[in-house]
Amino acid sequence: MRTRTLLLGLLLGLAALLLPALPATAADNGTWGVFPTPPAGAAMTDRAYFFHQGEAGSTISDSATIVNSSDKELTFQIFATDAVNTPVGGGFALLPVETKPKDVGTWVVLPPETRNTVTVPPKGRKDFPFSVKVPADATPGDHVGGIVALNTAVEGIQQEGKVQVGVKRQVGARLYFRVPGPVTPGLSVEDVKVSRAAPLLPWVKDSRARITYSLVNRGNVVVEPKVTVSAEGLFGRRVLDRPSRELKLVLLPGQRIQLTEDWADAPQSDWVTVDITAGASAYPDLVSSSATDFLAVPWTALGALLILAGAAVAARVLRRRRRAAAAERPEPAPDLAEAR
């Protein structure tokens, strides 16, 4: 039976130094959790994530704690890995154990006792130290990953086609590591598209549209995007105006995500330009925009008008042909018998 890990409980906050708008929450799924080890006498959630800074070639030490809140003994596989944004929606995720890390996950050195499995008693905890060895050629900027505890027990079975898949759960504490050097925030808006769903009878119901676009972090630091969505019709008429708002997500360096905006009352007859503008509160000069045009046409009504117009033209042409045929018809020859 094939085994697949699921990513759960990975919504942690960033330090106020980086992303002040995000709340700090613990990596805990209600059964077990992974935390930075708190100082003696401090609450377990004193730190909700790991945040460190170190020069290239340096080594930083810290400690992680697994808390077992259940009434039974749990056994975990412990590993370090890299973080990514989910391609659709931009959620924060840590790579599963089957995927080898390439960045900060390779810098983490776990103690020998965690190389196999770690068992935590009921209502108990397990602390283990680790170190982060920054490569001499590490690039400046933010490197994001996590320390993960994967429950070795299969908690369920899913059917995928003809294959049964065993489901395991993992929980990870985020690790944000900054290598000092030039900070180059970068954010771009790309691939703006609009799809429409118009009613069969125009103007009887609202027309719906969906705006999709991509955000790409082309810099070397994490950003918390904010987005403004607007649209103009013919002659500059504003048909959509959504003010700037925080997306409540962390866009990691080098990541591309796709987002959507639903538009419930899109125009049914107009030439529309849709504009997406993105920025980041921590970097006021970081602004990117992209736009696309679409033609809103009530195709059902237009099709009906074309059919009616075509029928009228066809009827008119047919009448003209009948009149022309009648005019060209020869007069009947006189009856000779009657003439005599």
Side-chain angles (χ1 to χ4, degrees):
M1 179 176 61
R2 188 158 54 91
T3 301
R4 182 180 67 186
T5 58
L6 297 181
L7 302 176
L8 295 176
L10 299 177
L11 298 178
L12 306 180
L14 266 173
L17 175 65
L18 288 177
L19 300 173
L22 293 178
T25 58
D28 190 339
N29 64 7
T31 304
W32 75 89
V34 183
F35 311 89
T37 303
M44 185 55 64
T45 55
D46 181 67
R47 290 188 298 160
Y49 53 88
F50 299 99
F51 176 73
H52 291 291
Q53 180 168 300
E55 299 281 351
S58 65
T59 299
I60 308 295
S61 297
D62 206 333
S63 177
T65 297
I66 303 175
V67 176
N68 179 5
S69 304
S70 72
D71 296 324
K72 61 181 181 180
E73 182 179 87
L74 297 177
T75 300
F76 302 97
Q77 180 180 354
I78 308 300
F79 64 97
T81 192
D82 298 337
V84 295
N85 289 105
T86 57
V88 178
F92 184 96
L94 294 174
L95 295 176
V97 67
E98 296 91 349
T99 304
K100 292 184 178 181
K102 298 179 180 180
D103 194 52
V104 70
T106 65
W107 305 355
V108 176
V109 180
L110 297 170
E113 60 266 26
T114 65
R115 290 177 183 172
N116 294 316
T117 58
V118 172
T119 300
V120 184
K123 304 297 184 182
R125 60 181 276 185
K126 174 70 176 180
D127 302 340
F128 56 92
F130 68 91
S131 60
V132 182
K133 294 186 176 181
V134 187
D137 60 351
T139 58
D142 293 334
H143 302 263
V144 187
I147 307 295
V148 184
L150 168 65
N151 188 0
T152 59
V154 175
E155 299 190 12
I157 301 294
Q158 289 184 352
Q159 192 75 28
E160 293 189 355
K162 297 181 179 180
V163 180
Q164 285 188 332
V165 179
V167 179
K168 294 182 179 181
R169 288 193 296 168
Q170 69 182 40
V171 173
R174 294 185 185 189
L175 168 62
Y176 294 93
F177 200 100
R178 172 165 288 186
V179 178
V183 172
T184 55
L187 180 65
S188 66
V189 182
E190 302 177 7
D191 302 329
V192 181
K193 299 177 182 178
V194 179
S195 60
R196 297 177 60 247
L200 292 177
L201 296 177
W203 302 289
V204 174
K205 292 184 178 180
D206 288 339
S207 175
R208 302 185 308 276
R210 171 164 290 185
I211 306 166
T212 63
Y213 60 96
S214 295
L215 292 183
V216 186
N217 185 344
R218 300 192 179 279
N220 66 354
V221 291
V222 298
V223 293
E224 181 190 5
K226 59 180 181 179
V227 169
T228 302
V229 182
S230 62
E232 289 186 353
L234 289 172
F235 312 111
R237 184 172 57 91
R238 187 61 62 95
V239 294
L240 180 65
D241 190 1
R242 294 180 180 175
S244 177
R245 73 185 190 281
E246 303 286 347
L247 297 181
K248 304 302 181 184
L249 62 85
V250 178
L251 187 56
L252 307 179
Q255 295 290 298
R256 170 188 291 268
I257 62 174
Q258 185 183 83
L259 301 172
T260 62
E261 292 275 344
D262 288 327
W263 189 358
D265 55 349
Q268 299 191 39
S269 177
D270 209 339
W271 183 275
V272 183
T273 299
V274 176
D275 181 86
I276 305 291
T277 300
S281 298
Y283 306 103
D285 296 331
L286 183 62
V287 179
S288 176
S289 295
S290 185
T292 190
D293 297 327
F294 73 92
L295 177 62
V297 177
W299 294 111
T300 303
L302 182 60
L305 288 175
L306 290 175
I307 291 173
L308 291 175
V313 170
R316 187 173 182 180
V317 170
L318 183 59
R319 285 197 301 270
R320 285 184 177 180
R321 288 181 178 178
R322 288 176 177 174
R323 289 174 182 173
E328 293 176 359
R329 188 179 302 145
E331 293 291 335
D335 191 334
L336 297 179
E338 291 181 359
R340 282 197 298 264

Short mmCIF file of all heavy atoms in Angstrom, two decimals, residues 188-228:
data_model
loop_
_atom_site.label_atom_id
_atom_site.label_comp_id
_atom_site.label_asym_id
_atom_site.label_seq_id
_atom_site.Cartn_x
_atom_site.Cartn_y
_atom_site.Cartn_z
N SER A 188 5.47 40.94 -8.92
CA SER A 188 4.89 41.27 -10.22
C SER A 188 3.53 40.62 -10.37
O SER A 188 3.28 39.52 -9.85
CB SER A 188 5.82 40.83 -11.35
OG SER A 188 5.94 39.42 -11.40
N VAL A 189 2.65 41.32 -11.10
CA VAL A 189 1.33 40.80 -11.46
C VAL A 189 1.41 40.33 -12.91
O VAL A 189 1.86 41.08 -13.78
CB VAL A 189 0.25 41.89 -11.32
CG1 VAL A 189 -1.13 41.31 -11.66
CG2 VAL A 189 0.25 42.48 -9.92
N GLU A 190 0.95 39.11 -13.16
CA GLU A 190 1.06 38.55 -14.50
C GLU A 190 -0.19 37.75 -14.84
O GLU A 190 -0.96 37.35 -13.96
CB GLU A 190 2.30 37.64 -14.61
CG GLU A 190 3.62 38.35 -14.28
CD GLU A 190 4.82 37.42 -14.33
OE1 GLU A 190 4.65 36.25 -14.74
OE2 GLU A 190 5.93 37.85 -13.94
N ASP A 191 -0.37 37.50 -16.14
CA ASP A 191 -1.39 36.57 -16.65
C ASP A 191 -2.81 36.92 -16.19
O ASP A 191 -3.56 36.06 -15.71
CB ASP A 191 -1.07 35.12 -16.25
CG ASP A 191 0.29 34.68 -16.75
OD1 ASP A 191 0.71 35.17 -17.80
OD2 ASP A 191 0.93 33.85 -16.07
N VAL A 192 -3.19 38.17 -16.30
CA VAL A 192 -4.56 38.57 -15.94
C VAL A 192 -5.52 38.07 -17.04
O VAL A 192 -5.31 38.33 -18.22
CB VAL A 192 -4.67 40.10 -15.79
CG1 VAL A 192 -6.10 40.49 -15.40
CG2 VAL A 192 -3.68 40.59 -14.75
N LYS A 193 -6.56 37.36 -16.63
CA LYS A 193 -7.54 36.83 -17.57
C LYS A 193 -8.94 36.99 -16.98
O LYS A 193 -9.11 37.05 -15.76
CB LYS A 193 -7.27 35.35 -17.85
CG LYS A 193 -5.92 35.08 -18.49
CD LYS A 193 -5.68 33.59 -18.67
CE LYS A 193 -4.31 33.31 -19.25
NZ LYS A 193 -4.03 31.86 -19.38
N VAL A 194 -9.93 37.03 -17.86
CA VAL A 194 -11.33 37.15 -17.43
C VAL A 194 -12.15 36.10 -18.16
O VAL A 194 -12.07 35.96 -19.38
CB VAL A 194 -11.90 38.55 -17.73
CG1 VAL A 194 -13.37 38.63 -17.30
CG2 VAL A 194 -11.08 39.63 -17.03
N SER A 195 -12.95 35.36 -17.40
CA SER A 195 -13.93 34.43 -17.98
C SER A 195 -15.31 34.87 -17.53
O SER A 195 -15.49 35.31 -16.39
CB SER A 195 -13.65 32.99 -17.53
OG SER A 195 -13.70 32.88 -16.12
N ARG A 196 -16.30 34.75 -18.45
CA ARG A 196 -17.64 35.25 -18.18
C ARG A 196 -18.66 34.14 -18.27
O ARG A 196 -18.50 33.17 -19.00
CB ARG A 196 -18.02 36.37 -19.16
CG ARG A 196 -17.15 37.59 -19.10
CD ARG A 196 -17.55 38.61 -20.16
NE ARG A 196 -18.93 39.07 -20.01
CZ ARG A 196 -19.89 38.82 -20.88
NH1 ARG A 196 -19.67 38.08 -21.96
NH2 ARG A 196 -21.11 39.28 -20.67
N ALA A 197 -19.76 34.33 -17.52
CA ALA A 197 -20.92 33.45 -17.59
C ALA A 197 -22.16 34.34 -17.67
O ALA A 197 -22.64 34.85 -16.65
CB ALA A 197 -20.99 32.52 -16.38
N ALA A 198 -22.64 34.56 -18.89
CA ALA A 198 -23.77 35.47 -19.09
C ALA A 198 -25.08 34.69 -19.11
O ALA A 198 -25.13 33.54 -19.54
CB ALA A 198 -23.61 36.23 -20.41
N PRO A 199 -26.19 35.29 -18.64
CA PRO A 199 -27.50 34.61 -18.66
C PRO A 199 -28.01 34.47 -20.08
O PRO A 199 -27.65 35.24 -20.98
CB PRO A 199 -28.39 35.54 -17.83
CG PRO A 199 -27.76 36.89 -17.97
CD PRO A 199 -26.28 36.65 -18.03
N LEU A 200 -28.88 33.49 -20.30
CA LEU A 200 -29.46 33.29 -21.63
C LEU A 200 -30.30 34.49 -22.05
O LEU A 200 -30.31 34.88 -23.21
CB LEU A 200 -30.30 32.01 -21.64
CG LEU A 200 -29.52 30.70 -21.49
CD1 LEU A 200 -30.48 29.53 -21.45
CD2 LEU A 200 -28.53 30.53 -22.63
N LEU A 201 -31.03 35.04 -21.09
CA LEU A 201 -31.82 36.24 -21.36
C LEU A 201 -31.10 37.43 -20.74
O LEU A 201 -31.08 37.59 -19.52
CB LEU A 201 -33.23 36.11 -20.77
CG LEU A 201 -34.09 34.99 -21.37
CD1 LEU A 201 -35.43 34.93 -20.64
CD2 LEU A 201 -34.31 35.23 -22.87
N PRO A 202 -30.45 38.25 -21.54
CA PRO A 202 -29.65 39.35 -21.01
C PRO A 202 -30.51 40.34 -20.22
O PRO A 202 -31.66 40.57 -20.53
CB PRO A 202 -29.06 39.99 -22.27
CG PRO A 202 -29.97 39.58 -23.38
CD PRO A 202 -30.47 38.21 -23.02
N TRP A 203 -29.86 40.89 -19.21
CA TRP A 203 -30.46 41.90 -18.32
C TRP A 203 -31.63 41.39 -17.50
O TRP A 203 -32.22 42.14 -16.74
CB TRP A 203 -30.86 43.15 -19.11
CG TRP A 203 -29.68 43.74 -19.82
CD1 TRP A 203 -28.62 44.39 -19.25
CD2 TRP A 203 -29.42 43.70 -21.22
NE1 TRP A 203 -27.72 44.75 -20.21
CE2 TRP A 203 -28.19 44.35 -21.44
CE3 TRP A 203 -30.11 43.18 -22.31
CZ2 TRP A 203 -27.62 44.50 -22.69
CZ3 TRP A 203 -29.55 43.34 -23.57
CH2 TRP A 203 -28.32 43.99 -23.75
N VAL A 204 -31.98 40.13 -17.64
CA VAL A 204 -32.97 39.54 -16.73
C VAL A 204 -32.28 39.10 -15.45
O VAL A 204 -32.80 39.26 -14.35
CB VAL A 204 -33.70 38.35 -17.40
CG1 VAL A 204 -34.62 37.65 -16.40
CG2 VAL A 204 -34.48 38.82 -18.62
N LYS A 205 -31.05 38.53 -15.60
CA LYS A 205 -30.22 38.17 -14.46
C LYS A 205 -28.86 38.84 -14.61
O LYS A 205 -28.48 39.27 -15.69
CB LYS A 205 -30.04 36.64 -14.39
CG LYS A 205 -31.30 35.87 -14.04
CD LYS A 205 -30.97 34.38 -13.90
CE LYS A 205 -32.21 33.59 -13.51
NZ LYS A 205 -31.89 32.13 -13.37
N ASP A 206 -28.10 38.90 -13.49
CA ASP A 206 -26.77 39.48 -13.53
C ASP A 206 -25.82 38.56 -14.28
O ASP A 206 -25.93 37.34 -14.24
CB ASP A 206 -26.23 39.70 -12.10
CG ASP A 206 -26.93 40.86 -11.40
OD1 ASP A 206 -27.51 41.70 -12.10
OD2 ASP A 206 -26.89 40.90 -10.16
N SER A 207 -24.88 39.18 -14.96
CA SER A 207 -23.80 38.44 -15.60
C SER A 207 -22.67 38.25 -14.60
O SER A 207 -22.38 39.15 -13.81
CB SER A 207 -23.29 39.20 -16.83
OG SER A 207 -22.17 38.56 -17.39
N ARG A 208 -22.04 37.08 -14.61
CA ARG A 208 -20.96 36.78 -13.67
C ARG A 208 -19.64 36.70 -14.43
O ARG A 208 -19.60 36.29 -15.58
CB ARG A 208 -21.21 35.48 -12.93
CG ARG A 208 -22.51 35.45 -12.14
CD ARG A 208 -22.62 34.18 -11.33
NE ARG A 208 -22.41 32.97 -12.12
CZ ARG A 208 -23.35 32.38 -12.85
NH1 ARG A 208 -24.56 32.91 -12.89
NH2 ARG A 208 -23.08 31.28 -13.54
N ALA A 209 -18.57 37.08 -13.74
CA ALA A 209 -17.23 36.97 -14.33
C ALA A 209 -16.26 36.52 -13.25
O ALA A 209 -16.51 36.69 -12.05
CB ALA A 209 -16.79 38.30 -14.92
N ARG A 210 -15.18 35.92 -13.69
CA ARG A 210 -14.11 35.53 -12.77
C ARG A 210 -12.78 36.05 -13.33
O ARG A 210 -12.41 35.77 -14.46
CB ARG A 210 -14.06 34.00 -12.61
CG ARG A 210 -12.82 33.52 -11.84
CD ARG A 210 -12.98 32.10 -11.36
NE ARG A 210 -13.96 32.03 -10.28
CZ ARG A 210 -14.21 30.91 -9.60
NH1 ARG A 210 -13.60 29.79 -9.91
NH2 ARG A 210 -15.10 30.92 -8.63
N ILE A 211 -12.10 36.81 -12.50
CA ILE A 211 -10.79 37.36 -12.86
C ILE A 211 -9.72 36.47 -12.23
O ILE A 211 -9.74 36.24 -11.03
CB ILE A 211 -10.64 38.81 -12.35
CG1 ILE A 211 -11.80 39.67 -12.85
CG2 ILE A 211 -9.31 39.39 -12.76
CD1 ILE A 211 -11.91 41.01 -12.13
N THR A 212 -8.81 35.98 -13.04
CA THR A 212 -7.68 35.21 -12.53
C THR A 212 -6.39 35.96 -12.85
O THR A 212 -6.29 36.61 -13.90
CB THR A 212 -7.63 33.79 -13.14
OG1 THR A 212 -7.44 33.89 -14.55
CG2 THR A 212 -8.90 33.04 -12.85
N TYR A 213 -5.43 35.84 -11.95
CA TYR A 213 -4.14 36.51 -12.17
C TYR A 213 -3.08 35.79 -11.33
O TYR A 213 -3.40 35.02 -10.41
CB TYR A 213 -4.21 37.99 -11.78
CG TYR A 213 -4.56 38.26 -10.34
CD1 TYR A 213 -3.57 38.49 -9.39
CD2 TYR A 213 -5.89 38.27 -9.92
CE1 TYR A 213 -3.90 38.73 -8.06
CE2 TYR A 213 -6.23 38.51 -8.60
CZ TYR A 213 -5.23 38.74 -7.67
OH TYR A 213 -5.55 38.96 -6.37
N SER A 214 -1.84 36.02 -11.68
CA SER A 214 -0.72 35.42 -10.95
C SER A 214 0.08 36.51 -10.24
O SER A 214 0.26 37.61 -10.78
CB SER A 214 0.21 34.65 -11.90
OG SER A 214 -0.45 33.55 -12.47
N LEU A 215 0.54 36.18 -9.02
CA LEU A 215 1.50 37.02 -8.31
C LEU A 215 2.82 36.25 -8.23
O LEU A 215 2.83 35.06 -7.89
CB LEU A 215 1.01 37.35 -6.90
CG LEU A 215 -0.21 38.26 -6.76
CD1 LEU A 215 -0.49 38.53 -5.29
CD2 LEU A 215 0.00 39.57 -7.52
N VAL A 216 3.90 36.92 -8.53
CA VAL A 216 5.22 36.29 -8.53
C VAL A 216 6.16 37.11 -7.65
O VAL A 216 6.28 38.33 -7.82
CB VAL A 216 5.80 36.19 -9.96
CG1 VAL A 216 7.11 35.38 -9.94
CG2 VAL A 216 4.80 35.54 -10.91
N ASN A 217 6.80 36.43 -6.70
CA ASN A 217 7.81 37.08 -5.86
C ASN A 217 9.16 36.91 -6.54
O ASN A 217 9.76 35.84 -6.48
CB ASN A 217 7.82 36.48 -4.46
CG ASN A 217 8.78 37.21 -3.53
OD1 ASN A 217 9.64 37.97 -3.95
ND2 ASN A 217 8.61 36.98 -2.23
N ARG A 218 9.64 37.96 -7.18
CA ARG A 218 10.91 37.92 -7.89
C ARG A 218 12.05 38.50 -7.07
O ARG A 218 13.17 38.70 -7.61
CB ARG A 218 10.78 38.65 -9.23
CG ARG A 218 9.71 38.03 -10.14
CD ARG A 218 9.79 38.55 -11.54
NE ARG A 218 8.78 37.93 -12.40
CZ ARG A 218 8.88 36.74 -12.96
NH1 ARG A 218 9.98 36.02 -12.75
NH2 ARG A 218 7.91 36.24 -13.72
N GLY A 219 11.80 38.76 -5.79
CA GLY A 219 12.84 39.30 -4.92
C GLY A 219 13.46 38.22 -4.05
O GLY A 219 13.28 37.02 -4.27
N ASN A 220 14.19 38.65 -3.02
CA ASN A 220 14.86 37.71 -2.13
C ASN A 220 14.35 37.77 -0.69
O ASN A 220 14.98 37.24 0.22
CB ASN A 220 16.38 37.91 -2.16
CG ASN A 220 16.80 39.27 -1.59
OD1 ASN A 220 15.97 40.12 -1.27
ND2 ASN A 220 18.11 39.48 -1.49
N VAL A 221 13.19 38.43 -0.50
CA VAL A 221 12.57 38.48 0.83
C VAL A 221 11.09 38.17 0.71
O VAL A 221 10.48 38.35 -0.36
CB VAL A 221 12.75 39.87 1.50
CG1 VAL A 221 14.21 40.10 1.86
CG2 VAL A 221 12.24 40.97 0.60
N VAL A 222 10.51 37.69 1.80
CA VAL A 222 9.07 37.40 1.79
C VAL A 222 8.29 38.71 1.73
O VAL A 222 8.75 39.75 2.22
CB VAL A 222 8.65 36.59 3.04
CG1 VAL A 222 9.35 35.26 3.09
CG2 VAL A 222 8.91 37.38 4.32
N VAL A 223 7.14 38.68 1.09
CA VAL A 223 6.27 39.85 1.03
C VAL A 223 4.86 39.43 1.39
O VAL A 223 4.45 38.29 1.16
CB VAL A 223 6.28 40.53 -0.35
CG1 VAL A 223 7.62 41.15 -0.65
CG2 VAL A 223 5.89 39.55 -1.45
N GLU A 224 4.12 40.35 1.95
CA GLU A 224 2.71 40.16 2.24
C GLU A 224 1.92 41.03 1.27
O GLU A 224 1.78 42.24 1.47
CB GLU A 224 2.40 40.55 3.68
CG GLU A 224 0.94 40.34 4.05
CD GLU A 224 0.59 40.94 5.40
OE1 GLU A 224 1.46 41.61 6.00
OE2 GLU A 224 -0.56 40.77 5.83
N PRO A 225 1.40 40.46 0.18
CA PRO A 225 0.81 41.28 -0.88
C PRO A 225 -0.51 41.94 -0.46
O PRO A 225 -1.28 41.38 0.32
CB PRO A 225 0.57 40.28 -2.02
CG PRO A 225 1.36 39.07 -1.67
CD PRO A 225 1.41 39.04 -0.17
N LYS A 226 -0.74 43.09 -1.02
CA LYS A 226 -2.05 43.73 -0.99
C LYS A 226 -2.42 44.03 -2.43
O LYS A 226 -1.56 44.34 -3.27
CB LYS A 226 -2.05 44.99 -0.13
CG LYS A 226 -1.08 46.06 -0.57
CD LYS A 226 -1.16 47.28 0.35
CE LYS A 226 -0.20 48.38 -0.11
NZ LYS A 226 -0.30 49.57 0.78
N VAL A 227 -3.70 43.93 -2.75
CA VAL A 227 -4.14 43.98 -4.14
C VAL A 227 -5.31 44.95 -4.29
O VAL A 227 -6.21 45.00 -3.45
CB VAL A 227 -4.55 42.57 -4.63
CG1 VAL A 227 -5.26 42.65 -5.97
CG2 VAL A 227 -3.32 41.68 -4.75
N THR A 228 -5.28 45.71 -5.39
CA THR A 228 -6.38 46.57 -5.79
C THR A 228 -6.92 46.07 -7.13
O THR A 228 -6.14 45.80 -8.05
CB THR A 228 -5.92 48.03 -5.95
OG1 THR A 228 -5.36 48.48 -4.72
CG2 THR A 228 -7.09 48.92 -6.32
#
